[in-house]
Amino acid sequence: MLRWLQSNDFNIPKTVHLLKKHLKWRKDRKLDEPESQSLLQFSDARRKHAPVDIIGPQRKEGGDRLVVVDRAGRIDVAGLMKAVQPTEYLHEMFRTFEEIQRRLMKMEAETGVQCFMHYIFDLEGLHFDPTLLGVVNGPFRVSWQLVGQHYREFIDKFIVINSPSYINVLWSALSSFIPEQSKQRIVFAGSSWKEELLEIVDQDCLPERYGGNIPDNDCLKIVEPIPKSTYWKLPVHYPSMEQLHKVSVSASKHRMLVYKVDKPDIELLMYSHNENDITITLYYSKEKETSENDLELAVAPIPKCGLPAMDLFDYNCEFPGYYYVKLANEASWLLPSTYRMIVIEKETGKELEPINLNEKWIKKGQKAKKK
C-alpha cells in the first residue's frame, strides 16, 4: 500500500481507485494463489532467450537493494518477435516481477524497512537494424508501461551500461512515454561504467563481468540466438486467420463489440491478431442498453502492438450479462487499423458471436470447415 501511495503522491482517492483495479487484476490472474495455479501464460522463448537474472540482495543502510541484471543487448530481438505471442511475452515479464516482488517482501520482512531494486540494463552487443525502433516503440514500451501499472515503486536505480552511439535515437523514441518521476531514476553510465556501477552496487552483489566477485556462471544465464525452428507457428487447435472477424477502426476512434453470456463462470478464449498498435478494454453490464459511462470495467486497457503471431487471451465471465470489447486506435492520427478477432467458449469449443456482428465496419470471418 505504501508503494501505491508513493507512486500517486499520497493522493488517497486516486490510490484507492488504481489499487482496486490492480487487486481485481491479481484476482483474475490468480496471482495470490500458489504459483502452479496462476493464470499467467508461459513463454519458453522469452524465458530461455531473453532471461532476466535476479542476483540477490545488497545490504544498505535505509533499506536493502535487490540487484537484477537484464542483458538486453544480447537478445536476438528480431527472432524473439517472431517466436512469441503478445500476451505470453507480457505475462512472462509479469512472472519475473512477481518473483522480484516476493524477494522484496521477504527482504522487508527481515529488515523492517522498505526495499527497492537496482536494475542493470546491459546493452552490450546491441546492433542497430530497421526493426529495432519498432520493437522499442512497440513491445518494449508496452510491456514496461504495463509493468509500471502493476508494480509500483520497485526501482531505485535503472542503470544503463554499454550504451551504443545511437542511444539518443532510442531515448527519443521512449522518453515521451516515461513519467518524469521515473526519468530521475535512470542512470546512463559512460565509458567508465564499471567504476560508476561500483559506486552504486557492492562488489559482493555483482557478477565478475561487471566488476564484482560472483562468478558469472553462478548467476548469469546464457543468452543464445533463437533458432528459426522455434518461430511461432499456428497450433492445430487454433482457428485459422481467415476465421477471425476483421474490425476496422478509424484513426483516433474506437469500436465496441458486444457479447451476450447466458450463464455464470463461462471461460472465453479470445483469439486475435493486429498489425498496428491498438488498445483493448473489456467492460461488463447486466443490461444490454447501457451507456459506455455506466459500464463496469472488467479488464483495464491493454495496449497491444503488432506481432506476427496470433494472440490468445483467456477470460472467465463470472456473471451472465453483456461483455463489451472496446478497440481503440489511439496511436494513429491518420491511418485506420484492422483488428482480427474471434471468441470461443472453452467448454464447448463453439464460437460466441458478437450480437452486433452485422455492423458495416465488421467483415465476417470464414466459417470453420466441418471435420
Side-chain angles (χ1 to χ4, degrees):
M1 290 179 69
L2 175 60
R3 295 184 194 278
W4 283 81
L5 283 164
Q6 289 170 332
S7 69
N8 292 295
D9 296 322
F10 290 88
N11 182 321
I12 293 177
K14 183 178 180 181
T15 300
V16 170
H17 174 71
L18 294 175
L19 187 53
K20 281 183 176 179
K21 288 184 178 180
H22 169 71
L23 293 175
K24 183 182 185 307
W25 173 77
R26 295 191 67 83
K27 180 182 177 183
D28 290 344
R29 294 287 109 190
K30 296 187 178 181
L31 296 185
D32 296 308
E33 303 294 330
E35 190 176 7
S36 60
Q37 299 178 27
S38 166
L39 295 182
L40 292 179
Q41 297 179 25
F42 286 94
S43 172
D44 284 337
R46 196 184 194 289
R47 182 172 295 191
K48 293 178 181 177
H49 301 282
V52 174
D53 298 298
I54 302 174
I55 308 302
Q58 167 184 314
R59 301 299 176 187
K60 186 174 181 180
E61 186 178 349
D64 289 2
R65 299 294 184 267
L66 186 66
V67 180
V68 178
V69 174
D70 183 344
R71 287 177 292 159
R74 291 290 181 186
I75 297 173
D76 176 7
V77 175
L80 184 64
M81 294 303 101
K82 294 176 182 177
V84 297
Q85 295 174 281
T87 297
E88 70 174 17
Y89 174 89
L90 177 62
H91 281 195
E92 196 61 52
M93 197 164 182
F94 287 154
R95 284 186 178 278
T96 298
F97 271 78
E98 282 293 302
E99 178 59 27
I100 289 171
Q101 178 170 267
R102 284 190 286 269
R103 300 275 192 106
L104 288 175
M105 291 176 69
K106 181 181 178 182
M107 290 159 58
E108 289 168 343
E110 293 171 351
T111 63
V113 294
Q114 187 175 5
C115 299
F116 301 89
M117 71 170 168
H118 290 321
Y119 198 96
I120 301 170
F121 195 64
D122 185 1
L123 295 179
E124 182 186 17
L126 186 67
H127 300 289
F128 191 84
D129 67 67
T131 65
L132 187 57
L133 277 180
V135 172
V136 167
N137 201 28
F140 181 84
R141 171 181 60 83
V142 167
S143 59
W144 274 100
Q145 279 183 324
L146 292 172
V147 163
Q149 283 182 18
H150 293 294
Y151 302 95
R152 304 293 184 100
E153 297 295 314
F154 275 27
I155 296 176
D156 182 16
K157 293 285 190 297
F158 189 97
I159 310 158
V160 183
I161 63 174
N162 290 312
S163 303
S165 58
Y166 50 85
I167 188 64
N168 290 338
V169 177
L170 302 180
W171 179 244
S172 297
L174 281 174
S175 58
S176 60
F177 302 103
I178 302 175
E180 286 300 323
Q181 185 180 12
S182 299
K183 287 180 184 178
Q184 297 173 9
R185 300 174 186 178
I186 299 175
V187 177
F188 287 97
S191 57
S192 301
W193 58 264
K194 281 191 178 181
E195 288 78 3
E196 294 181 58
L197 193 55
L198 288 170
E199 291 178 3
I200 301 172
V201 184
D202 292 342
Q203 273 188 309
D204 291 340
C205 299
L206 279 175
E208 289 177 340
R209 68 187 299 139
Y210 300 121
N213 298 328
I214 307 175
D216 292 350
N217 292 338
D218 290 350
C219 59
L220 297 177
K221 303 180 187 72
I222 298 174
V223 183
E224 297 179 344
I226 298 180
K228 290 185 178 180
S229 60
T230 63
Y231 285 3
W232 188 86
K233 301 179 184 68
L234 187 72
V236 293
H237 60 280
Y238 272 40
S240 67
M241 196 70 76
E242 291 74 24
Q243 289 176 248
L244 275 59
H245 306 301
K246 295 172 68 174
V247 181
S248 178
V249 188
S250 301
S252 303
K253 302 293 184 181
H254 73 268
R255 299 295 190 189
M256 195 83 82
L257 296 172
V258 187
Y259 296 86
K260 184 183 179 184
V261 175
D262 295 319
K263 298 184 295 184
D265 292 318
I266 297 295
E267 188 168 357
L268 300 180
L269 303 176
M270 303 180 184
Y271 297 93
S272 64
H273 183 265
N274 54 296
E275 296 176 354
N276 303 307
D277 287 3
I278 205 155
T279 300
I280 181 170
T281 311
L282 184 63
Y283 297 95
Y284 167 76
S285 175
K286 289 183 180 180
E287 309 297 333
K288 178 182 176 183
E289 302 298 334
T290 307
S291 68
E292 185 176 337
N293 291 334
D294 294 326
L295 296 175
E296 178 184 335
L297 182 68
V299 176
I302 303 174
K304 297 187 69 178
C305 48
L307 288 177
M310 185 185 295
D311 198 23
L312 170 61
F313 180 79
D314 59 297
Y315 183 78
N316 182 63
C317 301
E318 290 186 70
F319 309 106
Y322 294 87
Y323 289 82
Y324 295 73
V325 177
K326 180 180 179 181
L327 304 172
N329 186 11
E330 299 168 336
S332 175
W333 56 272
L334 179 62
L335 299 176
S337 182
T338 299
Y339 191 81
R340 294 173 173 85
M341 181 174 177
I342 192 170
V343 177
I344 306 293
E345 290 189 24
K346 184 176 182 178
E347 184 177 356
T348 65
K350 296 180 179 179
E351 179 186 357
L352 179 66
E353 291 187 347
I355 62 177
N356 58 339
L357 183 59
N358 292 321
E359 294 282 359
K360 62 181 181 181
W361 39 268
I362 302 176
K363 183 178 180 180
K364 295 181 184 180
Q366 298 177 5
K367 289 292 184 181
K369 295 179 181 180
K370 293 184 179 180
K371 298 180 180 180

